[in-house]
Amino acid sequence: MKVTAVAPTNIAILKYWGKHPLWEKYHIPMKSSLSFTVDGLYTKTTVEVEKGSGKVSFTLNGREITPDMKEYEYVEDFFGKIGRLFPFVKNYDYKIVSENNFPTAAGFASSASGFAALVKAIVGAVEEFSPYRDDDRKLSALARLGSGSASRSIPREGGFVGWWRGFGPHFLKEPEAYSEEERWNIIFSSYAETLYGPDHWPELRIIYVKVKKKEKKVKSRAGMRQTVKDHPLYKDWIDYEEGQMKDTMIRLVREKRFPQLAELIMRASNNLHAMALSTYRPIIYMNETSHAIIDAIHDLNLEKGENVAAYTFDAGPNAVVFTLSQHENEVLSLLREIVGGENVFATKPGRGPYYTEEHLF
Ligand code: DP6
């Protein structure tokens, strides 16, 4: 059986940063996060399965991924985890061919769309997964086992998505303290779902801004592990964002109140990077150009007398800027001046993943 799935990337406005230390291999997040599904940036993955013994071959953007590569480790690790939860996975061999329609090297995260497309394609291709094909909550938890942020690229409606942390992380004991059934419930208690579809706020725009980087990047997986492990303010930060920011952001999206939402988007991004910077050893993702973008957006908002744009940054110097259609041109020219026109890409919230024509489940 051969199945092709397309999954979009997503951009978080309330960030995921940290797994429960005792549940690290299951990627149970320490706090919930919120994101928009991004129209036009996606991974397309074809999975061909035949009866076998769990062998996996993987081609990414036309390049064969071999065991010495980081991507191989991620995918192998993922197959190990789903094989433990669903033993039938090991009765097949897999030929995976994956393409991003955006350059991975540009630093735009591809693990989110990558694992979302992979999960969709696998569950489409493996017959025993058919009871799960329509269960986006379960599928989002499976994608999470590949990469946390991938869970948010699973809900098929897309749009504005919440990924819930599930069981309160402050109370969780180690996995071995639970029965198999309880463990299963905990693993699937952290899932993602659409809160408002992509047509909820038609004026909303999402602008990707590519920033040249020189320095070597600390992978988000290693970075967040260090923050969870040793940052004295980590618990306060997650309690604050989980307890206050999350619900306020959801309400502001529901009511489409851009200026207020913009402030929280910028604060949440700043909080993430402040936590990263004050991790020991410091993790620095933004560079001078990133800071120039931050300044330009604040100056613009000041000049307008209200927030008309908001920036957010992930584990790298690239910016993603939110604005509304009536300010789009002005914000675009401001960003083009800083990074050059070829490095700016404007889009909007979009739908979730889907199968290509041949496979309509
Ligand atoms: C900064 O999902 O890449 O983009 O679960 O270890 O694979 P793993 O991490 P990943 O982390 C993304 C972190 C972030 C914030 C976010 O997208 O919420």
Side-chain angles (χ1 to χ4, degrees):
M1 182 72 169
K2 185 172 166 180
V3 170
T4 300
V6 175
T9 190
N10 70 78
I11 178 68
I13 60 169
L14 190 68
K15 306 294 186 182
Y16 150 58
W17 193 252
K19 304 169 180 70
H20 193 290
L22 299 172
W23 289 76
E24 203 175 308
K25 68 173 172 201
Y26 298 109
H27 296 183
I28 301 269
M30 290 293 277
K31 65 185 192 65
S32 304
S33 56
L34 301 169
S35 63
F36 284 96
T37 313
V38 176
D39 192 39
L41 293 178
Y42 59 82
T43 302
K44 183 174 180 178
T45 295
T46 302
V47 171
E48 202 175 339
V49 300
E50 50 187 47
K51 283 276 174 209
S53 56
K55 283 199 285 295
V56 177
S57 81
F58 179 30
T59 307
L60 176 61
N61 298 329
R63 196 172 65 131
E64 162 102 36
I65 303 297
T66 50
D68 52 305
M69 298 178 180
K70 192 92 201 144
E71 292 93 339
Y72 191 92
E73 196 187 300
Y74 270 45
V75 169
E76 193 186 32
D77 182 58
F78 172 68
F79 270 93
K81 285 178 204 166
I82 58 167
R84 274 190 293 280
L85 290 170
F86 301 95
F88 56 77
V89 166
K90 292 177 230 146
N91 301 334
Y92 295 92
D93 289 338
Y94 301 81
K95 188 167 165 248
I96 305 164
V97 178
S98 208
E99 300 276 342
N100 296 323
N101 80 329
F102 49 97
T104 313
F108 292 143
S110 59
S111 66
S113 54
F115 276 106
L118 183 60
V119 163
K120 288 292 283 188
I122 292 173
V123 301
V126 173
E127 191 46 42
E128 289 92 327
F129 269 125
S130 55
Y132 296 93
R133 281 180 195 151
D134 285 331
D135 189 343
D136 281 353
R137 291 185 176 185
K138 285 260 173 1
L139 298 189
S140 70
L142 282 188
R144 188 194 78 221
L145 298 176
S147 184
S149 52
S151 64
R152 298 186 307 239
S153 281
I154 286 287
R156 67 196 65 190
E157 213 190 331
F160 185 52
V161 169
W163 166 25
W164 315 127
R165 68 181 181 182
F167 275 69
H170 302 320
F171 308 104
L172 269 184
K173 293 182 275 202
E174 68 281 3
E176 297 70 35
Y178 299 93
S179 70
E180 203 166 317
E181 192 188 332
E182 288 167 331
R183 233 181 354 253
W184 176 278
N185 288 337
I186 291 168
I187 291 167
F188 288 101
S189 73
S190 173
Y191 62 85
E193 63 184 338
T194 292
L195 302 174
Y196 303 104
D199 302 327
H200 168 70
W201 198 346
E203 299 80 18
L204 196 63
R205 294 291 177 274
I206 305 173
I207 304 172
Y208 273 74
V209 189
K210 184 173 167 249
V211 172
K212 264 204 211 71
K213 66 168 180 198
K214 286 186 223 89
E215 61 280 6
K216 192 168 148 266
K217 174 181 146 182
V218 178
K219 284 254 176 217
S220 44
R221 190 165 292 184
M224 64 176 82
R225 184 181 295 131
Q226 193 58 24
T227 310
V228 175
K229 196 169 141 207
D230 97 323
H231 202 300
L233 301 178
Y234 183 70
K235 189 177 167 301
D236 297 305
W237 176 49
I238 61 171
D239 286 347
Y240 169 67
E241 291 208 343
E242 184 77 27
Q244 299 186 36
M245 275 183 116
K246 185 187 70 185
D247 291 340
T248 312
M249 278 181 151
I250 294 172
R251 179 169 54 79
L252 293 173
V253 171
R254 185 178 67 232
E255 297 170 358
K256 296 185 250 184
R257 289 166 60 185
F258 189 83
Q260 294 83 352
L261 178 68
E263 176 174 333
L264 291 191
I265 291 175
M266 294 185 279
R267 282 183 182 275
S269 174
N270 295 343
N271 289 349
L272 166 71
H273 291 277
M275 291 301 292
L277 179 64
S278 52
T279 293
Y280 189 81
R281 136 182 207 171
I283 305 160
I284 299 169
Y285 289 126
M286 295 191 290
N287 64 20
E288 253 175 65
T289 312
S290 318
H291 286 286
I293 293 169
I294 290 178
D295 274 339
I297 300 285
H298 279 290
D299 287 346
L300 175 71
N301 289 339
L302 205 62
E303 186 193 311
K304 296 284 177 191
E306 64 171 4
N307 293 333
V308 297
Y311 52 78
T312 188
F313 294 82
D314 284 335
N318 294 327
V320 177
V321 175
F322 287 88
T323 189
L324 294 175
S325 50
Q326 69 260 39
H327 305 294
E328 185 179 355
N329 285 339
E330 194 171 359
V331 175
L332 280 173
S333 33
L334 187 75
L335 295 167
R336 285 188 188 121
E337 257 174 53
I338 303 172
V339 296
E342 70 285 9
N343 292 317
V344 175
F345 169 72
T347 182
K348 55 186 183 355
R351 63 178 290 188
Y354 57 92
Y355 292 107
T356 57
E357 308 279 297
E358 313 93 87
H359 319 285
L360 293 172
F361 290 105

